[in-house]
Amino acid sequence: MNFDTLLETLTGYCITYGGRLLVAVIVLVVGFWLCRMVSKRIRRGKVASHMDRSVLSILLRLISLAFKTILVVTAIGIMGVPMSSIITVIATVGAAIGLALQGSLSNLAGGIMLLIFKPFRVDSFISTQDYIGTVTEIGLFYTVLRTPDHKRVTLPNGTLMNSAVTNYNSYDTIRADLTFGVAYGSDIDRVRSVLLDVANGHPLVLEEPAAIVHMTNHDDSSLTFVLRVWCKSEDYWTVQWELRETAERAFGKAGIEIPFPQVDVHIKETGLTDHGAVTDHGAGM
């Protein structure tokens, strides 16, 4: 092939595919620019202002990904590649990625379910089987907690959707149940009066519903009482900790003993018979 023939061939390719390549590039550039503009408009719109920010972020990511995928496929189609071939390649790549990322896809499905059913939101205080803390981020694959001692815990969304999660901020008010043990022989009415005074004297305990005290059990070493009070959800832990400390001091002032586990051991003496044999009259513990 001489130079003239080569130049003619290259010219033919440029004429045939150059225009298509130029159009494809223009489609991609304009399309990506429009995608950014649409995302900005959605973020600043009135609808977005009423949406949970984690939901909005993930929704925009999905829209952007879908839009960009359509743009790339369109550009490839403009270049003259048959759409059937493109679809076959996409399906093959998708199947391979799906097999390689089974766990991640499970987390992705869990993230979508979290956004749909909303068992908790960003800033909710939740507890799982192993962790407790404030939700700082809900992503497509992982949810991030900030524990009370300021540790960052990353939880897979698939695990969260398949386990029990307690949300302490679902309602404005919450009931706190506190258990106390007192010694046998304590005046029951006196114990109840002390606990109610402790509850009613705390500024974060709500007057309605009123605090209640019940004796719930006869344990091995103590009588068990439960104090139930209502408070704002955000005050739950403060009420728990402060009421326990205040009750301890109040019991001391009232002369109410808080018992500890103890065992009484009784030993019976043994004696010898006339023939020198040892006779065991019994031993008990």
Side-chain angles (χ1 to χ4, degrees), residues 35-65:
C35 184
R36 289 195 298 271
M37 293 300 295
V38 170
S39 296
K40 290 180 180 179
R41 286 294 183 89
I42 293 176
R43 286 184 182 277
R44 297 172 182 173
K46 293 183 178 180
V47 176
S49 63
H50 299 289
M51 293 179 63
D52 185 273
R53 64 176 182 265
S54 60
V55 176
L56 177 62
S57 177
I58 293 176
L59 180 62
L60 288 176
R61 290 179 188 176
L62 291 176
I63 293 174
S64 177
L65 179 61

Side-chain angles (χ1 to χ4, degrees), residues 73 82-93:
V73 171
M83 293 302 295
S84 59
S85 301
I86 298 175
I87 294 173
T88 301
V89 171
I90 292 175
T92 304
V93 173

Side-chain angles (χ1 to χ4, degrees), residues 18-213:
R20 294 182 180 181
L21 178 61
L22 180 61
V23 173
V25 171
I26 293 173
V27 168
L28 288 176
V29 172
V30 174
F32 281 112
W33 178 78
L34 286 175
C35 184
R36 289 195 298 271
M37 293 300 295
V38 170
S39 296
K40 290 180 180 179
R41 286 294 183 89
I42 293 176
R43 286 184 182 277
R44 297 172 182 173
K46 293 183 178 180
V47 176
S49 63
H50 299 289
M51 293 179 63
D52 185 273
R53 64 176 182 265
S54 60
V55 176
L56 177 62
S57 177
I58 293 176
L59 180 62
L60 288 176
R61 290 179 188 176
L62 291 176
I63 293 174
S64 177
L65 179 61
F67 192 66
K68 290 177 180 178
T69 301
I70 294 173
L71 283 174
V72 172
V73 171
T74 302
I76 294 175
I78 291 174
M79 291 295 296
V81 179
M83 293 302 295
S84 59
S85 301
I86 298 175
I87 294 173
T88 301
V89 171
I90 292 175
T92 304
V93 173
I97 293 175
L99 290 174
L101 301 176
Q102 292 183 15
S104 297
L105 291 178
S106 173
N107 292 334
L108 174 62
I112 294 173
M113 297 297 285
L114 287 176
L115 295 175
I116 293 175
F117 293 104
K118 298 180 180 179
F120 52 81
R121 302 172 182 269
V122 172
D123 295 331
S124 293
F125 192 85
I126 67 171
S127 66
T128 65
Q129 184 175 358
D130 300 313
Y131 300 99
I132 185 169
T134 302
V135 178
T136 59
E137 179 183 344
I138 303 175
L140 274 175
F141 297 93
Y142 298 96
T143 294
V144 180
L145 295 185
R146 183 181 66 248
T147 63
D149 54 351
H150 275 225
K151 293 179 181 177
R152 177 186 173 94
V153 179
T154 303
L155 301 175
N157 287 336
T159 301
L160 280 177
M161 283 304 300
N162 292 311
S163 60
V165 177
T166 302
N167 186 352
Y168 293 92
N169 300 121
S170 295
Y171 307 101
D172 293 335
T173 59
I174 189 172
R175 192 183 74 187
D177 294 353
L178 298 92
T179 302
F180 301 92
V182 300
Y184 276 96
S186 299
D187 187 328
I188 295 176
D189 293 331
R190 179 63 174 160
V191 173
R192 180 179 288 109
S193 175
V194 169
L195 289 177
L196 287 176
D197 288 343
V198 168
N200 295 329
H202 197 286
L204 298 180
V205 173
L206 300 178
E207 295 182 1
E208 292 294 335
I212 58 174
V213 177

Side-chain angles (χ1 to χ4, degrees), residues 251-265:
F251 281 159
K253 292 179 180 179
I256 299 173
E257 181 183 353
I258 299 178
F260 53 87
Q262 54 186 320
V263 177
D264 292 333
V265 179

